[in-house]
Amino acid sequence: MVYFFGEKGKESKPLLGGKGSNLGEMTKMGLPVPPGFTISTQVCMDFLKEKKYPRGLEKEIDSNLRKLEKKMGKRLGDEKNPLFLSVRSGAPVSMPGMMDSVLNIGLNDKTINGLEKQSGDPRFVWDSCRRFVQMFGDVVLGVEHSKFEKILEGYKKGRNDTDLNVEELKKIVNDHKKLIKRGGKKFPEYPREQLKMTIDAVFNSWNNKRAKIYRKLHGIPGDMGTAVNVQVMVFGNLGWDSGTGVGFTRNPSTGENKPYGEYLMNAQGEDVVAGIRTPKNIEDLKKDAPVVYQELMKVYKILDKHYRDMQDFEFTIEEKRLFVLQTRTGKRTAQAAVKIAVDMVNEKLIKKEEAIMRIDPDQINQLLHKQIDPKEKGKAKVIAKGLPASPGAGVGVVCFSAERAEELSKKQKVILVRNETSPEDIQGMAVSQGILTARGGMTSHAAVVGRGMGKCCVVGCGDINIDEEKRIFMVKNLRIKEGDWVTLDGGTGEVFLGRFTLIDPEMKGEFQILMKWADGIRKLGVRTNADAPKDAKRARDFGAEGIGLARTEHMFFEGERIRAMREMIIAGDSEGRRKALTKLLPMQKKDFIGIFKAMNGLPVTIRLLDPPLHEFLPKENKEIRKLAREMGVKFGVLRNKISSLEEFNPMLGFRGCRLGVIYPEITEMQTDAIISAAIEVNKGGGDALPEIEIPVLSDVEEGVFLRKVIENTAKKLMEKNRVKIKYKIGTMIELPRACVTADKLAKTLDFFSFGTNDLTQTVYGFSRDDAGRFIPKYIEKGVLKKDPFQVVDRDGVGSLMKICVELARKANPRIEIGICGEHGGEKESIEFCHLIGLDYVSCSPFRVPIARLAAAQAKIKNG
Amino acid sequence: MVYFFGEKGKESKPLLGGKGSNLGEMTKMGLPVPPGFTISTQVCMDFLKEKKYPRGLEKEIDSNLRKLEKKMGKRLGDEKNPLFLSVRSGAPVSMPGMMDSVLNIGLNDKTINGLEKQSGDPRFVWDSCRRFVQMFGDVVLGVEHSKFEKILEGYKKGRNDTDLNVEELKKIVNDHKKLIKRGGKKFPEYPREQLKMTIDAVFNSWNNKRAKIYRKLHGIPGDMGTAVNVQVMVFGNLGWDSGTGVGFTRNPSTGENKPYGEYLMNAQGEDVVAGIRTPKNIEDLKKDAPVVYQELMKVYKILDKHYRDMQDFEFTIEEKRLFVLQTRTGKRTAQAAVKIAVDMVNEKLIKKEEAIMRIDPDQINQLLHKQIDPKEKGKAKVIAKGLPASPGAGVGVVCFSAERAEELSKKQKVILVRNETSPEDIQGMAVSQGILTARGGMTSHAAVVGRGMGKCCVVGCGDINIDEEKRIFMVKNLRIKEGDWVTLDGGTGEVFLGRFTLIDPEMKGEFQILMKWADGIRKLGVRTNADAPKDAKRARDFGAEGIGLARTEHMFFEGERIRAMREMIIAGDSEGRRKALTKLLPMQKKDFIGIFKAMNGLPVTIRLLDPPLHEFLPKENKEIRKLAREMGVKFGVLRNKISSLEEFNPMLGFRGCRLGVIYPEITEMQTDAIISAAIEVNKGGGDALPEIEIPVLSDVEEGVFLRKVIENTAKKLMEKNRVKIKYKIGTMIELPRACVTADKLAKTLDFFSFGTNDLTQTVYGFSRDDAGRFIPKYIEKGVLKKDPFQVVDRDGVGSLMKICVELARKANPRIEIGICGEHGGEKESIEFCHLIGLDYVSCSPFRVPIARLAAAQAKIKNG
C-alpha cells in the first residue's frame, strides 16, 4: 500500500501515479531526491469506496514515517529538530492543478521554534506558517479560500506579500486560525493528525467537481484514483544560497538540444510560477552558484538520457544543496516535438517508430499554417469564439458580402463575415484572408471550402449578430462595422478585435525527415481532396499520392459557366440540356487538363456532378428577375421552374447519380470532358490516370446504368482518337444501402471511396447543416462523446464501413477502397481506416502531412 | 418436344404452358376437347436462341399431325375433307393478349371449296377466309394491321362486318392478298407451310415489345418461353345449332356456387368478346339447346370439382356438339374470392390454408371501403390520374382550402383539392369526403393522414394545375371550379368529373370466417396505427390487437393546443416552456384516456413528440403577424425566432428524441399525461397498458437519458397516487445507426418498433417528400423494381432490419419487436417481417384485415 521512494520506479505509474513513480525512479537513479514515500492509487480507490482506510494502512504509513525520520535525523513534531513534510497528489495520468496539495506539514506552535532556530530567519518561518495554515484551512478543512485572502489583503494594504513583517505575519496566522474556529472547524496542532487529515483530503480531491469535469473532458477513467506523495520539505527560501527552479532538458520551444530553464534564488516554487519576481535564465546560475550549476548540468543529461525524452523537472537548492523534486515528460511546441524526436533517433536514444509515435498529428497543423504571433496573442482579448473549422490565422478588415470582399480586397486584406456561406460566395471567400460565419458546423459549406482552400475559417460563431444591411455585427454590446480590423484563429475558433502580426509556417528539415520515415512505415496511401490545379500541386508538395476527390460542381459557379449551367437546368428537354452542356464541355475539359497535369502519373478521382440542381439557381426575386432577362424567359415562368425544383430535404433529394440516371446527357458531357482531357494530356507526353466516380449510389442498377453511359462515351472518343486511356469507374459510398449491398456494387465497379460526411448524416439521421443546434449540447450532456462529423463513429458508421469492406473484398478482391470524407484527415479516423483495411485516405491538402503521420502511427500501433 | 393432348396434364404447366397443360388435363379427364398437340416452351427457348428448330422437331410435328388427321378423318390441305387448325400461344404464366394466335390455318384456294361443301354456307367460309388472310398477314407476315382494316373499312362503308356479302368478302380477300404482295411478302398457299410459319411467328412473339414490357411490369422471367398449341378448329358459326360461350363454374362477381356464363348461337369466340351482339345468359341455353345444356352443366361441375377452384372456360357448339376449348382459374371480385374460398373449405374441396392462400390481401381492400358503383364507373371518363394513396371512393364538390372545406361541408359533401397538405389542413381533411393533391408521393402528408383516417385520397396528380386564388383547377383545357362535383377513386388514383353513386362495403359472414382462420394460423401479431379513440375503436373492430403507433403531434394542432404549443416553442427558457407545457398537459391526458379506454386491456404504443418544432409555427408573414399580436410579442422578434428554427433538411434535423434530450420538460409532460391517464383509467376499472416510445434514436445514450426522465416522472406519479402502472419504454428504429447498435439499445429498452418510412429514407438517402421527382422514372427505366416506400426493400432496409433483430434478440431475448411504418400493412413486407421473426406488424385501421390475412399467408408459405 505504501512504498518508500526507490522501492519502485517509473514502470509503476498505474500504482504510484506519475509523480510518485518518477520520484521512485529518480531515487533509484541516485539523483538527489528529498526522501519520502508514496501511498498507492489502489488505497485511494478503496478509501473512496469504503470511506475508511484499508486495514494496516496506518501501520505502513507509520513505519515509512519512522524510516524517513531516521534517514533525516529529524522527527515530525520534534521541538528541536523538527521534520516538515509536503503532501502532493499524483494520478497515473496528468491532471494539472485539478487535485490538492499541502506543504509545510508539521508546523505548530512548538515546531515553529525549532524551525526558527534552524533557519535563523523568523520571517521565513512565519511566512511558511501563514501559508501552511491558509493551505490547510482551505484544502483540508474546506474553509473558503477567499476568506483567507480577505484577511491577507487587510494587512497588505496594497503592498506585496514579501513586504509583510514578522509581527504582521503572526497576526495573520492568528486571524486565520480564528477564521477556522468560527467556521466550527479545528486546526490540529498534532502533526501526525495534520498528515492524516491531509492524506484524506488529497484522496477525496480525486472526486472534486473540477477533477470530474476534467476527466470527462479528457476521457480519463474515473476508477484510476490518485496516489499521495509524502515527502520531506526542502526550502529554497532559506537565504541567498538557496533557490528554486524549473529545468527542461531540451528547448521546449525550438527543440534545440541544450539545457533550458529558469530559477530564482531565495524563493519557493510558487514564486517562480506566480510571476511576482522575474526568473533568471539557467545559464546565470553558473555565476550565482557555480558548484550547484555543474551538478545541475549533470542532472539535465542524466534525466534526458535516462527517460529518452525531454524532461520538465523541478529543483530546489537548500543552502547550496541541490534537490530534484519532480520530473515529467515536458510539453513542447510542434516544432520542438519534431526536432527532439528526430534528434533522439540520430542520437540513437529512440527508434524511428518511437519518434513517429511521439508526435501528435493534430499538433503538426501548426507547422503548416500561419499563426498569430504568440507574443501578441497572449495579451489579446477574445471577443467571440466559434468552431475551429479550418486552421491558420487571418487578419483583415470586416466585410459582409462576397461582392464587397472582392471590391475591398483590391486595396487591403479582408475577412468575410457571413451568417453562412453558399456556393455563390466562393469568389469572395477566395479573396479573403479568413472566413467567419455565425451559423453552420464543422462540415458546413464555409468549413469545407475553407479547409479545401487552406484558408483560416471560424464557423458557427453564435456569439455574433450580423446586420448585413447596416454592415455591422454585434458581440453583446460591442459593435464591429465594415472596415474594422479583426484577427481570426482558425485553429482555436477565437475571434480577436484588432490587427495582429502573423508568423509564417516553417517546414524544417527534421519535419521532412520524419515524414519520410512515416512514409516508409505506413500501409495506407494518402491522397488529397482538390478541385483546382493549384490545390493539387500544393497537396503533391505535401506528399499526396493522387487525388481522392475532385468535385466538379465548384467548377460551374464562375461567370459564363453558371449561365450555361442554369440554361441546362431550366431546359425543358434533353435537346435543350444538350445544347447548354455543349457550352460547358470545353470549360470542364480545361479544368481536367490542369488537374491531370498537376497530378501527372498519379490517379485522379473525379466525382460526377453531385449537388441538387437548385443550388445553382438564384433564390431572391431580384436575382431571378435578372436571370429571366438574361435568358429571355418570363419572370413568372422562371420563378415557377425554380420553385418546382426546391426540395424539402435536398440532402436526400434529386442529386448525385440520380441526376445522371434521369439526365444521362450530363454524365455523357462530363465523361467526354474527362476522357478528352486525358487524351490531350497524354498526347503531350503526360500520363493521366482518371478514376470516374459516381456519387450517392443507392442501388447497383444505378451503377450498371451509368457505367454503360460512361463506357459508351469513352469508347467513342477513344476510337475516334485511336488511343486507349486507362480509366476506372467507381462510386462514393455515402449511403447505408450502398454499404449493405456492397457485394453487388463491387462486382460492377473498380473502386469505392467512402464519403463519410454524408454517410454519417444518413447513418445518424443528422443533417450536418442543422445538427449544430443539438450536437454541442449533446456533447455537453455527455450523450455524445465526440462529434461524429469530426471523428468517425466506429460503432455506427464504422460498423457499416466494415460490413461494406468485407462484402466488397469478398465479391471483388481487386477493388480499390479509400475514404474522401473529412475524416480522411483526422487521426483516430485514419487509424480506423487502417484497421478495416482501406487502401488510402484522402484529405484536404493541408492535412496530407497529418494523414501521412497518422497512417504510420496506425500501422505501428496495430501492425 | 411435342405432346398430343392427353399425354400430359396440368402438372406440366412449365413445359406446356397454362393453356396446353389444361387442354391436356381436360383431354385426360375425358372432356370433349378438340384434339391437338402442344409444342413445348423448351422448344421456344431453343428456337429463339439458335434461330432454327431443334433437330427432329419437324418430324415430331408431322407425326402428331398425322395422328390428328387420323383421329379426325380429315386431312390438312385436302380438297374434299379438309382439316383446319388453330395455333395459339400459351406461356406458363398468363400474359393475356401479349402474344399471337392464328385461326383457320389450312384455308387456301382448294380447301375453301371443301369447307364450302361441308358447311353449305359460303358467307361463313369467305368470312373465315378473310379473317385468316388478315390474321396471317398481320401476325405472321408482319404487314401492318391498320392497312387491312383500311381495306375492310373501304368495303364496309359504315356498315357492320356481318353486313358484308360473299362477293364483297371475296374482293376483300383478294385485296388483302395484293396488299401482302405489295409489301414484298408472299401468302403461302401450302397449308403445312402456313402451319410452320405460324408456329415460328408465335415463338417469336415471346420477344415482341409489348410482351417484354408486360413481363418487366409483372416480374415474369424472360427465359420461360411460350408453348404453341395446335388444335383442330371447331366452328360455332356453322348455323343456329352452333354457338360459342364462356362459362364460370361459380359466380365471379358474388362467388355464389351456381353456374354462370354467357353464350351466342351461330357465332365465333371473338364475337362474344367484341360486344357487337349481346350475349345471352347461360340459363337460356336450356331452351336454345336442351341436350347441350345438360352436357354443359356436367362440364361445369366436373371442372369445378377437378380443379378445386372456380374455372373460367371457353366452349364451342358445332352443330349440337359441345367442345371445351380452354379452361383456367377465373378472375373474381374480392367478395367472390372470399366466398368461394370459404365455401370450398365447407365443401371439403380445399383446406383452410389453401383458402387463405387464394385471397390476394390487396384485393380485400375492396371489402373495407366505399366503391364507385361499377355500373356507373364503366361508363365514366377519367379526367386525371394520380397515385392511389388511400383506398375507397369519395364524391363531393371541389374546394381549395381547409377553411373553405370546413365551411362548405356544413351544407354538402366536399373534396379538398390542394397542391399538398400540411398539418394545418387536418381539420379540413377530416370534414372532406376525399383529398386530391397535385404533389407528393405515397407517403406524403396527405397520403399518411388519409390512410389513417380511412379517407379516400389521390396524391401526386401532376395532371392538375391549381390556381388557388381563382379557385379553379385545370386539367389540360378542362376547367373545374369550386363547387363542381368530382368523384375520386383512391384505389386506382382516378379522378372523375361528376357525381357518382357510391356503394357501401360489405363485411360478409364468409369474410369473418376467413379472418378467424387466418388468426388461428398466423404467428405475427397485428396492431394498428391510430391517434384518436374513434380510429382505435374501428381498428379494434377490424381485429387489431393493440396500438402499434399513436402519434402525439397531431394532437397539438387544434385550436387552444397549437397556441400553447407555439408558446412552448417560442419560450426562451425551460421556465417558459414548462409554463406552456402545463397548459398542454390536461388536454394530452384527455387524449390518452380516450385511447386507453378504446383499447382497454390491449397494449398502446405512444410515440413521444417527433416532428421538428417549426412544423407547428406559421410560415407566412400574415400569420406570423397575427400570432405575434396574440402572443404579445414583436413581429420582428417572432419572425426571427421562427426563421432561426428553419432547417435545411428537417428530416435529419432537430426532431425526435433530440427534442426530449435538449428539452426534457417536454418528455416529462408527455410521460405525466400518459401515466396520469393510465392511473385514471385503471381507477375506473379499466386496464391501460401504455408503451412509451422514444422516436428517432441514434445512440443508446439518448435512450438512457430519456429512460431516466420517463422513469423519474412515472415514479413520482405512482408514488403520489399509491398505484402501480405496468408500462414499457421502447424506441422506434428509424435510423441505420439504431440497427447496427441494436445490441446496446436492446439492453436498456423493452421494445423496438421499426419505423420503416424513415428508415427507408435514411438507408436509401431518399427524401419521401422529394423522391417523387425520380422514383417513378427509376421504375420506368428499370433501375428500381419497386417503390421502396411501398414494399420493404429486403436487400438494403431489410438487411439492416435483420441485423437489428439478431443483435437485439441476442442482447435481450425478451425484447418485443414490431413494425409501424407504412410497410406494416403491405403483404410482401409483412412476409418479410414474419421471416425475420418480428412479434407484430402495425398498420392503419383499414389495413388490419389485410395484415391479418397476409400474416397467415406468410406463415403458411414459410412455416
Side-chain angles (χ1 to χ4, degrees), chain A residues 118-119 121 234-244 263-267 277 285 287-293 295 315-323:
Chain A
Q118 279 181 335
S119 67
D121 183 352
V234 284
F235 298 99
N237 50 350
L238 267 175
W240 292 103
D241 55 359
S242 297
T244 189
Y263 74 99
L264 276 174
M265 294 312 276
N266 197 10
R277 286 159 62 190
L285 193 64
K287 277 185 294 177
D288 282 345
V291 180
V292 172
Y293 176 78
E295 218 175 320
F315 60 89
T316 286
I317 306 164
E318 191 183 73
E319 294 172 329
K320 292 192 183 165
R321 272 184 73 193
L322 176 69
F323 293 97

Side-chain angles (χ1 to χ4, degrees), chain B residues 233-262:
Chain B
M233 283 294 302
V234 285
F235 299 100
N237 50 351
L238 267 176
W240 292 102
D241 53 1
S242 297
T244 191
V246 175
F248 287 85
T249 59
R250 302 186 183 217
N251 188 315
S253 175
T254 64
E256 201 185 356
N257 187 359
K258 207 181 137 189
Y260 177 92
E262 291 177 334

Side-chain angles (χ1 to χ4, degrees), chain A residues 365 369 387-391 429 435 441-457 459 490 528-529 535 538 551 757 768 789-790 821-823 825 843-847:
Chain A
N365 228 339
H369 295 279
L387 297 170
S390 178
M429 294 168 83
I435 299 136
M442 291 295 284
T443 49
S444 62
H445 179 265
V448 172
V449 174
R451 283 194 291 275
M453 292 179 170
K455 184 148 299 192
C456 155
C457 180
V459 300
T528 191
N529 301 345
D535 298 331
R538 174 155 50 195
R551 299 174 190 86
N757 295 356
R768 66 186 189 191
F789 290 110
Q790 285 174 38
E822 296 287 316
H823 299 104
C843 53
S844 59
F846 283 93
R847 294 199 78 86

